Amino acid sequence: MFTAGNRLKLTIFGSSHGPYIGGILDGLPAGVNIDMDYINKWLDRRRPGINSITTQRKESDRIEFISGLKEFYTDGSPLGFIFRNEDYINKHYDYIRDNPRPGHADITMYYKYGEYRNYEGGGFFSGRMTLPLVAAGSIAMHILKNINISIVSYIKSAGGFNIQNENISDEDYSYSFRTRMPDPDLDDKLYNKILEIIKDGDSLGGIIKTIAYNIPPGIGEPFFDSVEGTIAHLMFSIPGLKGIEFGAGFKLGSMSGSQANDTFYYDGDKIKTRTNNSGGILGGITNGMPLEFSVVMKPTSSIRKKQETVNLKTHQPSEIQVIGRHDPFITLRAVPVVQALTGFAILDLIMSDSSQKKWDIFNRGDGN
Ligand SMILES: Cc1cc2nc3c(=O)[nH]c(=O)nc-3n(C[C@H](O)[C@H](O)[C@H](O)COP(=O)(O)O)c2cc1C
Ligand SMILES: C=C(O[C@@H]1CC(C(=O)O)=C[C@@H](OP(=O)(O)O)[C@H]1O)C(=O)O
């Protein structure tokens, strides 16, 4: 399905080489201020063609609201928005149609949709479908500021380089680095590594870390609508995202209980933990510590190196060297997507809270 969310629902539509891409965000009450500058800042961070280590496809990615908005305030009906696709080149996909790229969804769209498959630009499997995710997510992030929630994402590991400084609390900080690895020395090293990879006709994977601050304790539900389940469900809509871990994640598998347990203490009247191996979640519910998780992005599958494939018409072996414009390092472009989608997840969890706490989340000044 193309719809996600519980009380806050997002439907996305369109495809990479169709005329439009867009979304419908349903569930916001009337009177929520929609800040265009804030949304545009996040759309620009996701936009293709922003430097020499991203795809050279050039899109303006300006949002056009088509419903639900009156003079920058929601009117309580579904918020509909579209983006025009401006720079697509179908001929790059002529060969790919019958010679599927290893690692992309060309083969699975052939199995599922056959002759009706929307293959140009990866169709609706394209990374471009993350555009409405960022639009909706940035709206959610802006609302979350009413209760001082801020969300930080950055590249923690890629190309053999790993960030040591884990104390990043500014949601804009990683965007002052070309690679979004927030360390001046590692940023240079990773940038040069990506340039080498491009020369080589290859690509690179990476890991994105996310930390959400000031999360109130008690949101999330036991079992199926846990914080982990909600976040993972949304994150796996990001094309190329292949894994997620919360807190210490897979490292817990080599720890003892006494190492893994986050012990409690009082900080004034707040209960905190000395460590945060649980990533701020216990029993699927937030415990008031920062919400922390990491995701892994695979290396881009569309590479210029020659690779083995098959011809779907002749049923013979064939070869492919992908031409066209591709991201050598999708991790960089996925940073604002992960960050904004985290905002969507947290807002939906708060709006869906079964304990019916009266969150002053929308700050509409009418006592709601
Ligand atoms: C922002 C973004 C940009 C992407 N750019 C490309 C690209 O230029 N070329 C490519 O082959 N894959 C790109 N991808 C990844 C593919 O869309 C993805 O690998 C493909 O849809 C198959 O899905 P899967 O990898 O999740 O199985 C991008 C992903 C994201 C999130
Ligand atoms: C355009 C975007 O990313 C695209 C994601 C993508 C893919 O296969 O995922 C393939 C490329 O599209 P094309 O072959 O049309 O140039 C990227 O440029 C975008 O993110 O806005």
Side-chain angles (χ1 to χ4, degrees), residues 16-17 46-48 55-57 59 61 87-89 92-93 101 104 120-122 125-131 239 302 323-327 330 333:
S16 182
H17 288 204
R46 197 220 68 92
R47 200 155 49 83
T55 170
Q56 292 309 301
R57 181 165 162 176
E59 295 284 351
D61 286 357
D87 178 26
Y88 47 89
I89 306 176
H92 288 158
Y93 289 84
R101 290 167 289 179
H104 213 292
E120 284 125 337
F125 294 91
S126 167
R128 189 151 177 74
M129 297 300 283
T130 58
L131 185 49
S302 302
I323 55 163
R325 304 160 300 178
H326 290 279
D327 284 295
I330 58 178
R333 303 220 30 239

Coordinates of all heavy atoms in Angstrom, one line a residue, residues 16-17 46-48 55-57 59 61 87-89 92-93 101 104 120-122 125-131 239 302 323-327 330 333, ligand 2:
S16 N 9.0 8.5 -10.6 CA 10.2 9.2 -10.9 C 10.1 10.0 -12.2 O 10.5 11.2 -12.3 CB 11.3 8.3 -11.0 OG 12.5 9.0 -11.2
H17 N 9.5 9.4 -13.3 CA 9.4 10.0 -14.6 C 8.0 10.4 -15.0 O 7.8 10.7 -16.2 CB 10.1 9.1 -15.6 CG 11.6 9.1 -15.5 ND1 12.4 8.8 -16.5 CD2 12.4 9.3 -14.4 CE1 13.7 8.8 -16.1 NE2 13.7 9.1 -14.9
R46 N 17.1 17.5 0.7 CA 16.9 16.2 0.0 C 17.0 16.3 -1.5 O 17.3 15.3 -2.2 CB 15.4 15.7 0.3 CG 15.2 14.2 0.0 CD 13.9 14.0 -0.6 NE 13.8 14.6 -1.9 CZ 14.1 13.9 -3.0 NH1 14.4 12.6 -3.0 NH2 14.1 14.5 -4.2
R47 N 17.0 17.5 -2.0 CA 16.9 17.8 -3.5 C 18.1 17.1 -4.2 O 19.2 17.1 -3.7 CB 17.0 19.3 -3.7 CG 16.5 19.8 -5.1 CD 16.0 21.2 -5.0 NE 16.9 22.1 -4.3 CZ 17.9 22.7 -4.9 NH1 18.1 22.5 -6.1 NH2 18.7 23.5 -4.2
P48 N 17.9 16.6 -5.4 CA 19.0 16.0 -6.2 C 19.9 17.1 -6.7 O 19.4 18.3 -6.8 CB 18.3 15.2 -7.3 CG 17.0 15.9 -7.5 CD 16.6 16.4 -6.1
T55 N 23.5 12.7 -7.4 CA 23.0 12.6 -8.8 C 22.9 14.0 -9.4 O 22.5 15.0 -8.7 CB 21.6 11.9 -8.9 OG1 21.1 12.0 -10.2 CG2 20.6 12.5 -7.9
Q56 N 23.2 14.1 -10.7 CA 23.1 15.4 -11.4 C 21.8 15.7 -11.9 O 21.6 16.7 -12.6 CB 24.2 15.5 -12.5 CG 25.6 15.5 -11.9 CD 25.8 16.5 -10.8 OE1 25.6 17.7 -11.0 NE2 26.1 16.1 -9.5
R57 N 20.8 14.9 -11.6 CA 19.4 15.3 -12.0 C 19.0 16.6 -11.3 O 19.3 16.7 -10.1 CB 18.4 14.2 -11.7 CG 17.0 14.5 -12.1 CD 16.1 13.2 -12.0 NE 14.7 13.6 -12.0 CZ 13.7 12.7 -12.1 NH1 13.9 11.4 -12.1 NH2 12.4 13.1 -12.0
E59 N 16.2 19.2 -10.2 CA 14.8 19.4 -9.9 C 14.7 20.6 -8.9 O 15.5 20.8 -8.0 CB 14.2 18.2 -9.2 CG 14.2 16.9 -10.1 CD 13.1 16.9 -11.1 OE1 12.3 17.8 -11.1 OE2 13.1 16.1 -12.0
D61 N 11.9 21.0 -7.0 CA 11.3 20.4 -5.8 C 10.6 21.4 -5.0 O 10.7 21.4 -3.7 CB 12.3 19.6 -5.0 CG 12.7 18.3 -5.6 OD1 12.1 18.0 -6.7 OD2 13.6 17.6 -5.1
D87 N 13.0 17.1 -14.8 CA 14.2 16.8 -15.5 C 14.4 15.2 -15.5 O 15.2 14.7 -14.8 CB 15.4 17.4 -14.7 CG 16.8 17.0 -15.3 OD1 16.8 16.7 -16.6 OD2 17.8 17.1 -14.6
Y88 N 13.6 14.6 -16.4 CA 13.8 13.1 -16.5 C 14.1 12.8 -18.0 O 13.6 13.4 -18.9 CB 12.5 12.4 -16.0 CG 11.2 12.9 -16.5 CD1 10.7 12.4 -17.7 CD2 10.5 13.9 -15.8 CE1 9.5 12.9 -18.2 CE2 9.3 14.4 -16.3 CZ 8.8 13.9 -17.5 OH 7.6 14.4 -17.9
I89 N 14.9 11.7 -18.1 CA 15.4 11.3 -19.4 C 15.0 9.9 -19.6 O 15.7 9.0 -19.1 CB 16.9 11.6 -19.6 CG1 17.3 13.0 -19.2 CG2 17.4 11.2 -21.0 CD1 18.8 13.3 -19.2
H92 N 17.5 6.8 -21.0 CA 18.4 6.0 -20.2 C 17.9 4.7 -19.7 O 18.7 3.9 -19.2 CB 18.8 6.9 -18.9 CG 19.6 8.1 -19.2 ND1 19.7 9.2 -18.4 CD2 20.4 8.4 -20.2 CE1 20.5 10.1 -18.9 NE2 21.0 9.6 -20.0
Y93 N 16.6 4.5 -19.8 CA 16.0 3.3 -19.3 C 15.5 2.3 -20.4 O 15.0 1.3 -20.1 CB 14.8 3.7 -18.3 CG 15.4 4.3 -17.1 CD1 15.7 5.6 -17.0 CD2 15.7 3.5 -16.0 CE1 16.2 6.2 -15.8 CE2 16.2 4.0 -14.8 CZ 16.5 5.4 -14.8 OH 17.1 5.9 -13.6
R101 N 18.6 -4.2 -13.8 CA 19.8 -3.8 -13.0 C 19.9 -4.7 -11.8 O 19.0 -4.8 -11.0 CB 19.8 -2.4 -12.5 CG 19.9 -1.3 -13.6 CD 19.5 0.0 -13.1 NE 18.1 0.1 -12.8 CZ 17.5 1.2 -12.4 NH1 18.2 2.3 -12.0 NH2 16.2 1.2 -12.2
H104 N 18.5 -3.3 -8.2 CA 17.4 -2.4 -8.2 C 16.1 -3.2 -8.3 O 16.1 -4.5 -8.3 CB 17.5 -1.4 -9.4 CG 16.9 -0.1 -9.0 ND1 15.6 0.1 -8.9 CD2 17.5 1.1 -8.9 CE1 15.3 1.4 -8.6 NE2 16.5 2.0 -8.6
E120 N 10.7 3.4 -16.0 CA 11.6 4.6 -16.3 C 11.9 5.3 -15.0 O 11.0 5.7 -14.2 CB 10.9 5.6 -17.2 CG 11.0 5.0 -18.7 CD 9.6 5.0 -19.3 OE1 8.6 5.0 -18.6 OE2 9.6 5.0 -20.6
G121 N 13.2 5.4 -14.7 CA 13.7 6.1 -13.5 C 13.4 5.3 -12.3 O 13.3 5.8 -11.2
G122 N 13.1 4.0 -12.4 CA 12.8 3.1 -11.3 C 11.3 3.3 -10.9 O 10.8 2.7 -9.9
F125 N 9.5 3.0 -7.5 CA 10.5 2.5 -6.6 C 11.6 3.4 -6.4 O 12.6 3.2 -5.7 CB 11.0 1.1 -7.1 CG 9.9 0.0 -7.0 CD1 9.1 -0.2 -8.1 CD2 9.7 -0.7 -5.9 CE1 8.1 -1.1 -8.1 CE2 8.7 -1.6 -5.8 CZ 7.9 -1.9 -6.9
S126 N 11.6 4.5 -7.1 CA 12.7 5.5 -7.1 C 12.8 6.2 -5.8 O 11.9 6.5 -5.1 CB 12.4 6.6 -8.2 OG 13.2 7.7 -8.0
G127 N 14.1 6.6 -5.5 CA 14.4 7.4 -4.3 C 13.7 8.7 -4.4 O 13.6 9.4 -3.3
R128 N 13.2 9.1 -5.5 CA 12.5 10.3 -5.6 C 11.1 10.3 -4.9 O 10.6 11.4 -4.5 CB 12.2 10.6 -7.1 CG 11.7 12.0 -7.4 CD 12.0 12.6 -8.7 NE 11.4 13.8 -8.9 CZ 11.7 15.0 -8.2 NH1 12.8 15.0 -7.4 NH2 11.0 16.1 -8.4
M129 N 10.6 9.1 -4.6 CA 9.4 9.0 -3.8 C 9.6 9.5 -2.4 O 8.6 9.6 -1.6 CB 8.9 7.6 -3.8 CG 8.5 7.1 -5.2 SD 7.2 8.0 -6.0 CE 5.7 7.4 -5.1
T130 N 10.8 9.7 -2.0 CA 11.1 10.2 -0.6 C 10.8 11.7 -0.5 O 10.8 12.3 0.6 CB 12.5 10.0 -0.2 OG1 13.4 10.6 -1.1 CG2 12.8 8.5 -0.1
L131 N 10.5 12.4 -1.7 CA 10.1 13.8 -1.6 C 8.9 14.1 -0.8 O 8.9 14.9 0.1 CB 10.0 14.2 -3.1 CG 9.8 15.7 -3.5 CD1 10.7 16.6 -2.8 CD2 9.9 15.8 -5.0
P239 N 13.6 3.7 0.0 CA 14.3 2.8 -0.9 C 15.8 2.7 -0.6 O 16.4 3.7 -0.3 CB 14.1 3.4 -2.3 CG 12.9 4.3 -2.1 CD 13.0 4.8 -0.7
S302 N 22.7 1.2 -9.1 CA 23.0 1.6 -10.5 C 24.5 2.1 -10.6 O 24.8 3.2 -10.2 CB 22.1 2.7 -10.9 OG 20.8 2.3 -10.8
I323 N 24.0 3.5 -17.5 CA 24.2 4.9 -17.8 C 23.2 5.8 -17.1 O 22.4 5.3 -16.4 CB 24.1 5.1 -19.4 CG1 22.8 4.6 -19.9 CG2 25.3 4.4 -20.1 CD1 22.4 5.1 -21.2
G324 N 23.4 7.1 -17.3 CA 22.4 8.0 -16.7 C 23.0 8.6 -15.5 O 24.2 8.5 -15.2
R325 N 22.1 9.3 -14.7 CA 22.6 10.1 -13.6 C 22.1 9.4 -12.3 O 20.9 9.1 -12.1 CB 21.9 11.4 -13.6 CG 22.2 12.1 -15.0 CD 21.3 13.2 -15.3 NE 19.9 12.8 -15.3 CZ 18.9 13.6 -15.6 NH1 19.1 14.9 -15.7 NH2 17.7 13.2 -15.6
H326 N 23.1 9.0 -11.5 CA 22.7 8.3 -10.2 C 23.5 8.8 -9.1 O 24.6 9.3 -9.2 CB 23.0 6.8 -10.4 CG 22.0 6.2 -11.4 ND1 20.7 5.8 -11.0 CD2 22.0 5.9 -12.7 CE1 20.0 5.4 -12.0 NE2 20.8 5.4 -13.1
D327 N 23.0 8.6 -7.9 CA 23.7 8.9 -6.7 C 24.7 7.9 -6.4 O 24.4 6.7 -6.3 CB 22.7 8.9 -5.5 CG 21.8 10.1 -5.5 OD1 22.3 11.2 -5.3 OD2 20.6 10.0 -5.6
I330 N 23.8 7.0 -1.7 CA 22.5 7.4 -1.4 C 22.3 7.8 0.1 O 21.4 8.5 0.5 CB 21.4 6.4 -1.8 CG1 21.6 5.0 -1.1 CG2 21.3 6.2 -3.3 CD1 20.6 4.0 -1.4
R333 N 21.9 11.4 0.8 CA 20.6 12.0 0.4 C 19.5 11.4 1.3 O 18.4 12.1 1.5 CB 20.2 11.6 -1.1 CG 21.3 12.1 -2.0 CD 20.8 12.7 -3.3 NE 19.6 13.3 -3.2 CZ 18.5 13.0 -4.0 NH1 18.7 12.0 -4.8 NH2 17.4 13.6 -3.9
Ligands
LIG2 C1 15.7 12.2 -8.9 C2 15.9 11.7 -7.8 O1 16.6 10.6 -7.6 C3 16.7 9.6 -8.6 C4 16.6 8.3 -7.8 C5 16.8 7.2 -8.7 C6 16.5 5.8 -8.2 O2 16.6 4.8 -8.9 O3 16.1 5.7 -7.0 C7 17.4 7.3 -10.0 C8 17.8 8.6 -10.5 O4 16.8 9.1 -11.4 P1 17.1 9.4 -12.9 O5 17.6 8.1 -13.5 O6 15.7 9.8 -13.5 O7 18.1 10.5 -13.0 C9 17.9 9.6 -9.4 O8 18.2 10.9 -9.9 C10 15.5 12.3 -6.5 O9 15.7 11.8 -5.5 O10 14.8 13.4 -6.6

